[in-house]
Amino acid sequence: MTCLLRQIAAAVKHQIMMLSQLQSYIHRERLFDPAQRLLLAVSGGMDSVVLTHLCVAAGFNIGIAHCNFRLRGGESERDEQFVRRLAERYNVPFYLQQFDTAERAQAQKQSIQVAARELRYMWLEKIRQEEGYDHVATAHHMQDNVETLWMNISKGTGMAGLHGILPKQGKLVRPLLFATREEITAYANAHQLEHVEDSSNATDKYTRNFFRHRVLPLLEEAYPQVVKNTGAGIQRFREAEMLYQQAIAVHRRNLLEQRKQEYFIPVLKLKQAQPLQTILYELLKPFQCSAAQAAQVAELVDSEPGKWVATPTYRIVRDRKWLIITPLEPAASAHFVIEKGQETVQLPEAQLLLKTCDPAHISTDPHIAYIDKQQVQFPLLLRKWKQGDYFYPLGMDKKKKLSRFFIDQKLSLPEKEKIWVLESHKKIVWIAGMRIDNRFRITPGTREALKIELKNT
Amino acid sequence: MTCLLRQIAAAVKHQIMMLSQLQSYIHRERLFDPAQRLLLAVSGGMDSVVLTHLCVAAGFNIGIAHCNFRLRGGESERDEQFVRRLAERYNVPFYLQQFDTAERAQAQKQSIQVAARELRYMWLEKIRQEEGYDHVATAHHMQDNVETLWMNISKGTGMAGLHGILPKQGKLVRPLLFATREEITAYANAHQLEHVEDSSNATDKYTRNFFRHRVLPLLEEAYPQVVKNTGAGIQRFREAEMLYQQAIAVHRRNLLEQRKQEYFIPVLKLKQAQPLQTILYELLKPFQCSAAQAAQVAELVDSEPGKWVATPTYRIVRDRKWLIITPLEPAASAHFVIEKGQETVQLPEAQLLLKTCDPAHISTDPHIAYIDKQQVQFPLLLRKWKQGDYFYPLGMDKKKKLSRFFIDQKLSLPEKEKIWVLESHKKIVWIAGMRIDNRFRITPGTREALKIELKNT
């Protein structure tokens, strides 16, 4: 009897302590309002069982969601049954989804772990929306967070890898991050909470378990408080990251200037910005520029104009006074075939208009060309210029390389990349917007002219 | 013969590679100019022997300094002889100091490790100045740095603990931080460099060796590149810290206002600053405020006026609209004895002037008091007020506690702390600058008055 009383007293004490810590954590991190509806992701493991128990004790309005990844045969079915009964006991809604994880992983060429995680979060968010919950809550705790930090640092992280697992990401909240594994275990024991082996441990299984079972126990020999110390550090790093982002935002405002689809960074001003590497890395990240590429861009700053670094979607070019960030043209738009009689061609940022007319016209606007219609052979080809292209500039009987012509015209690399050329049977007719070819010029013998206009849209 | 040639080729290759890495690291981190004079701290261990070899190969102008801490008997003497011969072989100046480390540690109540480190850096700096060197260089390498980072995180660090060992601190440079232990070992082997057991390993011996020999090898099982990864991370954290400090500087300019010896932080504006905890921590650090105290100050923001947090040198008080940071008065200035006939008393921020005069005067300025000279007994005492003090305010025949009087006068805590009282034989004569005591007022029977003036300087 005394033993039972002692157990009850311990349970009450733990409940009061953990509940008050939970509530102050929710308040401090502004996770959610106690009146909101929470969809708990429950694997049936100790962490999620404790989270459920605490949420019920706190009087939160909850539902329980369980994913059966069908990866562990009968064990998966056992877990599903366990969580279903848990929801029944607490008399709260229960949502279940079974996945063909292995199949999905194969189809998407992902690891089982990545596939399981994606399926889980996608489905939880779907249920949240369909069933009208305000947030999805998972049972990640401090030790998960510390493991994540140590793994990130071992892999080689920057500032973003230091915040560990975030307490709040969009509609996802982790209200148990304040608690250590020991506190959760003590709570589960005090309340004699049944649970199953936590199948979510399958995520990052090898490395995470290596840190959990081998690295952290070793560190605890030197620093018994390593989990709490690192946990407190993560909190500070998260705040430090906010300040870091504030400083980056100031540099972005000062350095990055948008002009239509392009972005310009003034080189002289950039050279004075400190720390250059990290500022460039953060400024260029939205352009899919990797850390290694950002380091190459840092070298561009001290190099000759004309060099560039290409990301998967942008080209970053060293111009005389600027770094110019230009979107790569989609390959599909690189060629347009123009049939006889066709009057318009729609380009990504321009329109080409063709019209037969009287040969008496002369254009002073480089965007309008008049050529001898009889000299061209349809279909014409409109394409981007390429290395090796040459033409006979109007008024000259010697051929000239386009690359050379562009240098004389002092075109920057992004300007060059925008240039379209009109081709007739392998001969260049017009460098659109710039100069026609001498071979296609209007002569006294011209009977019919073709007016071609490049209109920027 | 082939074997010897192969050895020479390997040595040349290592030398070229390491030298170019060393030079680009010196350039990138702006450590020193190649023409400057370097004082190398050489223990005789592999790292410092390799650094010496590299500096000679690079043609730097060096001297060698060795500390004999006399902690390992004959081994200490052996190391000293080894380094002396090294300097002779390279024909560079040699500086030696022997320390009574154990004695110093005991006298300063320090650990042997801390005492050794302090003695070493103090002496190196002294030699640097006396002998006209531009910098002191130590042979710390990447693995030392990675160990430091992991130890700092395990202990629980903030942003400042992430930069690890700095490449440059004042006149101290660490040009070998770019190199891994493996690269240094390979270089030493290729050049068949003799060395002794590195006595500087005594620093932080237990914990550092624990990380070196147990934690890092374990981490390498999961991430073979952990040292290089973490080393690259440290570089990024160092840049991140610069951005962090830039953001802190902006908040400091916006929030901290100096008025003479006090600092004011507007509470409403502070409440909007994010992240509050870290901003407060950084703003208050110069006032010797610990992280725990900064957290208490964060609570002050939401509390009643009048509460405060005391650091060893400052008091941070919640006033109505401000947090006010006031230096604690040095205890020595808390009492002044005023002899008969003395005309001035110099206080920290004010002056007290005393003058006998005609009793016909009346003061409307609270900084000037006229009292009945015959009522006071010299010597008078000028002191800070204390809890329990009471007086009879002018015009009242009931005594009143000073604490109560100050509440009625709506004094803030820093204002209260500046209040001086003038005492005559245990009776309060004047609350300087505010109100005289009724018992010492000028009456029709007063024959001689004492004019007392509090002049702020």
Side-chain angles (χ1 to χ4, degrees):
Chain A
M1 190 60 193
T2 320
C3 175
L4 183 63
L5 279 176
R6 213 180 292 139
Q7 265 179 23
I8 294 173
V12 168
K13 186 186 131 214
H14 272 285
Q15 180 144 327
I16 292 172
M17 196 185 69
M18 283 283 271
L19 261 184
S20 101
Q21 286 184 358
L22 175 74
Q23 281 160 334
S24 70
Y25 188 74
I26 291 167
H27 175 73
R28 176 152 47 92
E29 298 292 341
R30 296 171 193 164
L31 295 190
F32 54 86
D33 187 280
Q36 290 182 311
R37 295 188 70 211
L38 278 190
L39 182 64
L40 305 187
V42 178
S43 66
M46 185 168 68
D47 306 338
S48 56
V49 166
V50 165
L51 177 61
T52 309
H53 194 269
L54 279 167
C55 285
V56 170
F60 295 152
N61 188 344
I62 63 165
I64 286 180
H66 178 77
C67 300
N68 182 341
F69 295 108
R70 288 184 178 159
L71 290 168
R72 294 171 300 129
E75 219 179 283
S76 292
E77 305 313 312
R78 178 206 65 183
D79 293 358
E80 179 185 319
Q81 287 312 314
F82 174 84
V83 179
R84 184 190 301 277
R85 284 200 309 273
L86 192 73
E88 282 167 11
R89 198 173 329 136
Y90 289 129
N91 197 24
V92 297
F94 177 66
Y95 311 93
L96 170 73
Q97 182 68 35
Q98 299 183 333
F99 295 105
D100 285 319
T101 314
E103 197 177 281
R104 154 103 183 184
Q106 207 168 18
Q108 301 271 326
K109 296 200 174 94
Q110 292 172 319
S111 72
I112 293 279
Q113 289 77 13
V114 170
R117 182 164 46 205
E118 280 193 12
L119 287 168
R120 180 172 181 240
Y121 281 119
M122 272 161 44
W123 175 70
L124 288 167
E125 176 57 18
K126 180 169 157 276
I127 296 296
R128 187 193 70 76
Q129 288 181 21
E130 286 174 4
E131 303 289 334
Y133 287 90
D134 298 288
H135 300 279
V136 170
T138 66
H140 291 94
H141 55 66
M142 191 188 284
Q143 191 154 350
D144 293 325
N145 210 352
V146 170
E147 288 157 10
T148 301
L149 178 79
W150 287 86
M151 285 194 287
N152 284 349
I153 293 181
S154 300
K155 277 187 283 190
T157 187
M159 199 62 207
L162 293 180
H163 62 220
I165 302 170
L166 291 172
K168 188 168 187 174
Q169 273 178 302
K171 294 298 180 186
L172 193 62
V173 294
R174 277 103 177 200
L176 219 49
L177 273 182
F178 73 90
T180 62
R181 172 173 295 268
E182 287 69 30
E183 288 165 342
I184 291 171
T185 308
Y187 186 92
N189 290 340
H191 289 272
Q192 296 182 293
L193 297 182
E194 275 180 71
H195 61 87
V196 295
E197 175 64 19
D198 193 333
S199 67
S200 73
N201 283 347
T203 321
D204 304 323
K205 196 168 181 76
Y206 171 71
T207 318
R208 186 171 289 281
N209 281 341
F210 180 80
F211 274 79
R212 179 168 302 169
H213 299 305
R214 297 193 56 200
V215 178
L216 279 177
L218 181 64
L219 290 172
E220 276 168 348
E221 286 182 30
Y223 295 105
Q225 294 293 307
V226 64
V227 171
K228 287 214 164 183
N229 294 347
T230 311
I234 290 170
Q235 182 76 14
R236 288 190 285 267
F237 301 151
R238 203 145 51 77
E239 297 212 343
E241 194 191 5
M242 290 172 67
L243 288 156
Y244 169 91
Q245 292 295 354
Q246 290 172 10
I248 289 292
V250 171
H251 287 291
R252 184 174 285 122
R253 274 199 301 278
N254 284 339
L255 290 172
L256 195 67
E257 185 187 319
Q258 185 175 5
R259 300 184 194 168
K260 288 192 183 166
Q261 292 188 308
E262 294 182 332
Y263 293 82
F264 286 67
I265 299 176
V267 171
L268 275 183
K269 217 166 159 188
L270 179 65
K271 278 191 182 182
Q272 282 156 17
Q274 283 294 332
L276 182 62
Q277 293 272 357
T278 301
I279 291 172
L280 267 177
Y281 169 69
E282 291 288 346
L283 255 57
L284 299 176
K285 207 159 59 173
F287 305 102
Q288 288 194 265
C289 184
S290 69
Q293 288 174 323
Q296 290 168 17
V297 176
E299 285 172 22
L300 280 192
V301 170
D302 288 318
S303 76
E304 304 272 291
K307 299 201 169 179
W308 75 83
V309 172
T311 80
T313 46
Y314 284 83
R315 190 183 299 254
I316 300 154
V317 185
R318 171 69 157 99
D319 190 58
R320 259 158 280 256
K321 292 189 180 172
W322 308 88
L323 288 181
I324 305 175
I325 306 166
T326 317
L328 295 180
E329 298 290 339
S333 66
H335 286 81
F336 294 91
V337 174
I338 304 168
E339 301 294 342
K340 191 163 190 171
Q342 187 176 338
E343 292 194 337
T344 61
V345 185
Q346 189 58 52
L347 308 178
E349 283 178 83
Q351 217 178 11
L352 199 74
L353 307 174
L354 300 103
K355 204 175 162 187
T356 302
C357 69
D358 193 274
H361 292 280
I362 286 178
S363 172
T364 53
D365 179 350
H367 291 89
I368 300 175
Y370 291 96
I371 60 167
D372 189 330
K373 194 172 175 183
Q374 282 162 295
Q375 301 300 318
V376 299
Q377 289 182 28
F378 283 92
L380 300 175
L381 181 69
L382 190 70
R383 61 164 175 86
K384 286 292 173 83
W385 83 280
K386 55 179 193 287
Q387 284 295 339
D389 275 349
Y390 64 88
F391 80 134
Y392 292 77
L394 179 65
M396 287 176 66
D397 52 8
K398 261 175 63 184
K399 69 181 181 188
K400 183 161 197 162
K401 283 204 166 165
L402 264 62
S403 53
R404 190 68 234 165
F405 176 72
F406 292 147
I407 289 173
D408 295 347
Q409 299 287 318
K410 299 202 195 324
L411 290 199
S412 70
L413 196 80
E415 284 170 335
K416 279 192 277 185
E417 288 185 339
K418 282 193 208 138
I419 295 294
W420 292 91
V421 298
L422 186 68
E423 193 183 285
S424 161
H425 198 58
K426 308 275 176 198
K427 290 178 189 160
I428 286 179
V429 177
W430 186 35
I431 299 171
M434 296 198 77
R435 187 81 61 93
I436 65 165
D437 187 288
N438 200 51
R439 294 165 292 182
F440 299 93
R441 73 185 189 282
I442 307 279
T443 63
T446 303
R447 288 199 301 241
E448 210 176 23
L450 186 64
K451 176 190 178 188
I452 318 170
E453 183 176 359
L454 182 73
K455 268 181 99 160
N456 289 317
T457 49
Chain B
M1 189 62 192
T2 320
C3 175
L4 183 62
L5 279 176
R6 212 179 294 139
Q7 265 180 23
I8 293 173
V12 168
K13 185 185 132 216
H14 270 287
Q15 179 145 328
I16 292 171
M17 194 185 70
M18 283 284 271
L19 260 184
S20 100
Q21 287 184 358
L22 174 74
Q23 280 159 338
S24 69
Y25 187 74
I26 290 168
H27 176 73
R28 175 153 46 92
E29 297 293 342
R30 296 173 194 164
L31 295 190
F32 54 86
D33 187 280
Q36 289 183 312
R37 295 187 72 211
L38 278 190
L39 181 64
L40 306 187
V42 178
S43 67
M46 186 169 67
D47 306 337
S48 56
V49 166
V50 165
L51 177 62
T52 308
H53 193 268
L54 280 166
C55 286
V56 170
F60 296 152
N61 188 346
I62 62 164
I64 286 180
H66 178 77
C67 300
N68 182 342
F69 294 109
R70 287 184 180 161
L71 290 168
R72 296 171 299 130
E75 219 179 284
S76 292
E77 305 312 313
R78 179 205 64 185
D79 294 358
E80 179 185 318
Q81 287 311 316
F82 175 84
V83 180
R84 183 191 302 276
R85 281 200 310 275
L86 192 74
E88 282 167 9
R89 200 175 324 138
Y90 289 129
N91 197 23
V92 297
F94 176 67
Y95 310 94
L96 169 74
Q97 181 70 34
Q98 300 184 333
F99 294 106
D100 285 319
T101 314
E103 197 176 281
R104 154 104 182 183
Q106 205 168 18
Q108 302 271 324
K109 295 198 174 96
Q110 292 171 318
S111 71
I112 293 280
Q113 287 78 13
V114 170
R117 182 163 46 206
E118 281 192 11
L119 286 169
R120 180 171 179 242
Y121 282 119
M122 270 162 43
W123 176 69
L124 288 168
E125 176 58 18
K126 180 168 157 278
I127 295 297
R128 187 192 71 74
Q129 288 181 19
E130 287 175 2
E131 303 289 332
Y133 287 90
D134 297 290
H135 300 280
V136 170
T138 67
H140 291 95
H141 55 65
M142 191 187 283
Q143 191 154 348
D144 293 326
N145 210 352
V146 169
E147 288 157 11
T148 300
L149 178 80
W150 289 82
M151 286 195 287
N152 284 348
I153 294 180
S154 300
K155 277 186 284 189
T157 186
M159 198 62 206
L162 294 180
H163 62 221
I165 302 170
L166 292 172
K168 188 169 187 175
Q169 273 178 303
K171 294 297 179 186
L172 194 62
V173 294
R174 277 102 176 200
L176 219 48
L177 274 181
F178 72 90
T180 62
R181 173 173 293 269
E182 286 69 30
E183 288 166 340
I184 290 170
T185 308
Y187 186 91
N189 290 342
H191 288 273
Q192 297 183 290
L193 297 181
E194 274 179 73
H195 60 86
V196 295
E197 175 63 21
D198 195 332
S199 67
S200 75
N201 282 348
T203 321
D204 303 323
K205 195 167 184 76
Y206 171 71
T207 320
R208 185 171 289 280
N209 282 339
F210 180 81
F211 275 78
R212 179 168 302 169
H213 300 304
R214 298 194 56 199
V215 178
L216 280 176
L218 182 64
L219 289 171
E220 277 169 350
E221 287 182 29
Y223 296 105
Q225 293 292 309
V226 63
V227 171
K228 285 212 166 185
N229 294 347
T230 311
I234 290 171
Q235 182 77 13
R236 289 189 285 268
F237 301 150
R238 203 144 52 78
E239 296 211 344
E241 194 191 4
M242 289 172 68
L243 288 156
Y244 168 91
Q245 291 296 354
Q246 290 172 10
I248 289 292
V250 172
H251 287 292
R252 185 175 286 122
R253 274 199 300 277
N254 284 340
L255 291 170
L256 195 66
E257 186 187 317
Q258 184 175 5
R259 301 185 194 168
K260 286 191 183 165
Q261 292 190 308
E262 294 182 332
Y263 293 82
F264 286 68
I265 298 176
V267 171
L268 275 182
K269 216 167 160 187
L270 179 65
K271 277 189 181 182
Q272 283 156 16
Q274 282 295 331
L276 183 63
Q277 293 272 357
T278 300
I279 292 171
L280 267 177
Y281 169 69
E282 291 288 348
L283 256 56
L284 299 176
K285 208 158 59 172
F287 304 102
Q288 287 194 268
C289 185
S290 69
Q293 288 174 323
Q296 291 168 16
V297 175
E299 285 172 22
L300 279 193
V301 169
D302 290 316
S303 77
E304 305 270 289
K307 297 200 170 179
W308 76 84
V309 172
T311 79
T313 46
Y314 284 84
R315 191 182 299 254
I316 301 153
V317 186
R318 173 70 157 100
D319 190 56
R320 258 157 281 256
K321 293 189 180 174
W322 309 89
L323 288 181
I324 306 175
I325 306 166
T326 316
L328 296 180
E329 297 290 340
S333 67
H335 286 81
F336 294 89
V337 174
I338 304 168
E339 301 295 341
K340 190 162 190 173
Q342 187 176 338
E343 293 194 336
T344 62
V345 183
Q346 188 59 51
L347 307 178
E349 284 178 82
Q351 218 178 10
L352 199 74
L353 306 174
L354 300 103
K355 202 174 161 187
T356 303
C357 69
D358 194 272
H361 293 281
I362 286 176
S363 172
T364 53
D365 179 349
H367 290 90
I368 300 175
Y370 291 94
I371 59 167
D372 190 331
K373 194 172 176 184
Q374 282 163 296
Q375 300 299 318
V376 300
Q377 288 182 28
F378 284 93
L380 301 175
L381 181 68
L382 189 71
R383 61 165 175 86
K384 287 292 174 85
W385 82 281
K386 57 180 191 290
Q387 284 295 340
D389 274 348
Y390 63 89
F391 80 134
Y392 291 79
L394 180 64
M396 289 175 66
D397 52 9
K398 261 175 62 185
K399 69 182 180 186
K400 184 161 196 161
K401 283 203 166 166
L402 264 62
S403 54
R404 190 69 234 162
F405 176 72
F406 292 147
I407 290 172
D408 296 346
Q409 299 286 320
K410 299 201 195 325
L411 289 200
S412 70
L413 196 81
E415 284 170 332
K416 279 193 277 186
E417 288 185 339
K418 283 191 207 143
I419 295 293
W420 292 91
V421 297
L422 186 68
E423 193 182 288
S424 162
H425 198 60
K426 309 274 177 197
K427 291 179 190 159
I428 285 178
V429 177
W430 185 36
I431 300 172
M434 297 196 76
R435 187 79 61 92
I436 65 164
D437 186 287
N438 202 50
R439 295 166 290 182
F440 298 92
R441 74 186 189 280
I442 307 279
T443 64
T446 303
R447 285 199 304 238
E448 210 176 24
L450 187 64
K451 176 189 179 187
I452 318 171
E453 182 175 0
L454 182 72
K455 266 182 100 160
N456 288 317
T457 50

